[in-house]
Amino acid sequence: MNKYRTHNCSELNELHIDTTVSLSGWLHRKRDHGNLLFVDLRDHYGVTQCVIENNNKSFPILEKTKPESVLKITGKVVKRANATENLELTTGKIEVKILSVKILSNAKELPIPVFGEQDYPEDIRLKYRFLDLRRDEMHKNIILRSNVISFIRTEMLKLGFLEYQTPILTSSSPEGARDFLVPSRLNPGKFYALPQAPQQFKQLIMVSGFDKYFQIAPCFRDEDARADRSPGEFYQLDLEMSFVEQEDIFNVLEKLMVNLFKSFSSKKILNNNFPRIPYQEAMQKYGTDKPDLRNPLIIEDITKVFSREDVKFDIFKKLVKSGSNVRAIVTKNTKDKPRSFFDNIDKWAKEQGASGLAYFTFEKNKEVKGRGPIGKFFSEDALKEIMKICSAEIGDSIFLSCGKSKDLEKILSIARQKIANDLEIIDKNRFAFCWIVDYPMFEIEESTKK
């Protein structure tokens, strides 16, 4: 028998009542009721409530023991009173009446608490990472990561792929970021590079005659931190296939992603067959090559409207004559939104480094008019043309920006998300995937230079 425990902290139930057990884990929290002291003991698997009376010789010891101390508790499993059951725990119908306690490791005062989900600054959480990872949310995230990677491996093997490991020390090669360099002990003055991706090695595997390769590959890039990946190191699913076309790769990855997200999330997938969106169309409609398709807002180009004689918005007309474009985002049925809603988005755009977002609302009394700061500069016919281009209706509003294409894409891609979030029109209970196809070669070449 294991000297530390007979069961883990999620294992006990009503079938174990009247049996003597040993549990080991961390003191999650205490509740002192005077004559009784309740202790929640936590391990990797879950939490078990333990109770000790004040006539027990271990009572003074537990009273002084701080949270996150490591304990071994021996006691008798008893049924909880009906009013005290906790159905959120797998062990919620029983508790352990403590007979003896052994302190395996005493904790000091904690710099950050483990119990609860308090939001502490990232630098504190990283400094005390071993405590941060004990929190329930973070602990579950690590378990989820392990399960996802195991699932990916299983699915890739089912699809006929074989997993190969590629070297970590390599020679430097041009990639999308700077290399991390490692000095060589045997060759003074020379350096190895850590791979930004297993590109060269996986290509060696493929030209050697292996048919389908995959790897959960570490990628080392000396670049600034990003919201969606850690600086310096992240892992990616890397794969190669022989004698295939683009659609063959799409079919494999669609199957993998659909099965993966259906297995680990209750959210619905918008399209099991991912839409194919040409790169130029994505940049024009969404301002980015990774659009959130849950967001119904579309960016439309209305540059040609500003060549009309009956449009008097001279600031934009002068910019258009010098080669700028005008693009717009229409928001549906926002006629009743307060002025502050529109002004706040205009102010936000200026904070992002843009010149702001002009706006007005389409309304109709006897004729179509634009209500808002710049609405008066457009004739009824011009407004109707804008409405036709943007599929807008009376009661909708429009945000406009003028500039060079790259600048417009930058501001309108994030404005599209900002406006949708403010309007709460993104369905966060869905996933929406797509393929961006037909990348122009100059874009690929430029990305490798950055």
Side-chain angles (χ1 to χ4, degrees):
M1 181 183 293
N2 187 312
K3 70 175 184 178
Y4 291 109
R5 61 187 180 191
T6 58
H7 300 81
N8 66 50
C9 288
S10 75
E11 206 170 352
L12 300 175
N13 55 48
E14 291 172 293
L15 297 176
H16 298 94
I17 289 173
D18 291 332
T19 60
T20 299
V21 299
S22 293
L23 303 173
S24 290
W26 287 262
L27 197 168
H28 191 53
R29 63 170 179 163
K30 296 188 298 184
R31 299 180 302 282
D32 194 340
H33 290 199
N35 293 332
L36 293 174
L37 182 65
F38 290 92
V39 173
D40 287 345
L41 193 69
R42 184 195 76 248
D43 66 6
H44 169 76
Y45 303 96
V47 175
T48 298
Q49 178 175 285
C50 306
V51 60
I52 188 169
E53 297 178 350
N54 63 356
N55 58 3
N56 188 305
K57 64 180 181 181
S58 298
F59 187 90
I61 298 173
L62 275 178
E63 268 194 318
K64 297 176 183 177
T65 305
K66 296 186 183 298
E68 293 308 300
S69 295
V70 185
L71 312 177
K72 175 190 173 183
I73 289 177
T74 300
K76 187 177 181 181
V77 181
V78 297
K79 182 173 175 57
R80 289 201 205 186
N82 289 335
T84 64
E85 288 182 352
N86 183 355
L87 299 182
E88 293 183 4
L89 298 177
T90 57
T91 58
K93 291 189 176 183
I94 59 92
E95 61 190 9
V96 174
K97 187 176 181 181
I98 298 173
L99 300 175
S100 65
V101 176
K102 183 176 181 181
I103 308 295
L104 301 179
S105 177
N106 251 320
K108 297 179 180 179
E109 199 69 41
L110 297 178
I112 58 174
V114 171
F115 172 70
E117 295 298 332
Q118 295 89 345
D119 188 17
Y120 278 78
E122 189 175 72
D123 58 334
I124 299 295
R125 291 176 57 194
L126 290 174
K127 182 177 180 179
Y128 300 102
R129 191 63 164 163
F130 68 99
L131 291 175
D132 187 48
L133 292 180
R134 292 183 191 180
R135 295 191 300 119
D136 186 56
E137 180 185 8
M138 295 302 298
H139 202 79
K140 287 178 179 176
N141 285 347
I142 298 297
I143 295 171
L144 174 62
R145 184 179 189 275
S146 174
N147 291 337
V148 166
I149 290 174
S150 295
F151 183 90
I152 290 173
R153 281 198 169 96
T154 301
E155 289 294 300
M156 294 302 288
L157 293 171
K158 286 180 185 176
L159 291 167
F161 287 77
L162 294 177
E163 182 177 14
Y164 304 111
Q165 284 70 42
T166 54
I168 293 298
L169 294 177
T170 181
S171 59
S172 185
S173 63
E175 291 276 1
R178 292 180 295 272
D179 287 325
F180 280 111
L181 300 179
V182 181
S184 170
R185 178 179 60 84
L186 297 177
N187 301 282
K190 295 188 176 182
F191 296 82
Y192 294 104
L194 299 181
Q196 296 185 36
Q199 189 70 31
Q200 292 176 318
F201 296 113
K202 71 179 182 181
Q203 289 171 345
L204 280 173
I205 289 171
M206 300 312 291
V207 299
S208 300
F210 297 93
D211 196 62
K212 294 180 180 179
Y213 146 95
F214 87 95
Q215 184 182 4
I216 311 293
C219 302
F220 303 96
R221 298 183 180 183
D222 186 8
E223 62 187 1
D224 294 334
R226 301 188 185 187
D228 58 355
R229 69 187 189 209
S230 301
E233 176 193 347
F234 63 92
Y235 284 74
Q236 67 182 29
L237 171 62
D238 207 279
L239 62 89
E240 289 277 346
M241 301 167 65
S242 294
F243 307 111
V244 293
E245 298 178 299
Q246 179 173 270
E247 285 300 313
D248 297 304
I249 298 170
F250 286 174
N251 289 335
V252 165
L253 288 173
E254 280 180 8
K255 288 177 185 175
L256 174 65
M257 296 300 286
V258 168
N259 290 341
L260 179 66
F261 279 79
K262 282 184 176 179
S263 297
F264 290 95
S265 176
S266 59
K267 296 182 181 181
K268 294 182 179 179
I269 297 175
L270 188 60
N271 296 297
N272 285 349
N273 295 319
F274 304 166
R276 275 68 166 160
I277 304 175
Y279 172 80
Q280 294 293 357
E281 179 184 333
M283 298 306 292
Q284 197 278 306
K285 284 187 173 181
Y286 310 109
T288 175
D289 60 357
K290 46 184 179 182
D292 184 349
L293 298 183
R294 302 169 305 169
N295 180 349
L297 300 181
I298 301 294
I299 301 167
E300 300 286 358
D301 192 297
I302 58 171
T303 305
K304 67 177 185 179
V305 175
F306 288 82
S307 63
R308 297 175 61 108
E309 292 291 333
D310 54 354
V311 173
K312 306 299 182 182
F313 195 32
D314 293 336
I315 297 174
F316 277 21
K317 294 191 77 168
K318 288 178 182 177
L319 290 170
V320 167
K321 285 182 180 178
S322 65
S324 291
N325 296 307
V326 181
R327 292 182 186 168
I329 298 173
V330 167
T331 57
K332 306 302 290 183
N333 196 28
T334 45
K335 65 181 185 302
D336 296 326
K337 287 288 180 181
R339 173 75 180 261
S340 59
F341 166 77
F342 300 96
D343 286 343
N344 286 340
I345 291 172
D346 179 40
K347 180 182 176 183
W348 167 87
K350 292 174 180 175
E351 291 170 352
Q352 309 309 307
S355 57
L357 288 178
Y359 65 86
F360 61 84
T361 298
F362 298 100
E363 62 178 21
K364 184 176 182 180
N365 293 322
K366 293 182 180 179
E367 59 182 30
V368 177
K369 293 184 177 180
R371 173 168 55 86
I374 66 166
K376 61 187 177 183
F377 297 115
F378 298 86
S379 69
E380 181 179 25
D381 288 341
L383 291 172
K384 285 181 177 178
E385 184 177 359
I386 294 173
M387 291 174 71
K388 183 177 179 181
I389 295 171
C390 299
S391 301
E393 299 173 342
I394 300 300
D396 296 346
S397 304
I398 188 168
F399 292 89
L400 302 88
S401 185
C402 184
K404 301 299 182 183
S405 291
K406 291 294 181 185
D407 295 329
L408 289 174
E409 289 163 3
K410 182 179 178 181
I411 184 59
L412 291 180
S413 64
I414 56 175
R416 177 175 170 267
Q417 291 301 110
K418 162 69 175 172
I419 295 167
N421 284 325
D422 285 0
L423 292 173
E424 298 181 342
I425 57 175
I426 295 177
D427 186 352
K428 296 185 178 179
N429 291 314
R430 294 194 299 178
F431 291 112
F433 300 104
C434 69
W435 297 111
I436 304 298
V437 297
D438 300 338
Y439 273 88
M441 286 307 297
F442 78 89
E443 289 286 348
I444 297 172
E445 291 169 2
E446 284 299 315
S447 70
T448 63
K449 294 176 184 177
K450 293 178 183 177

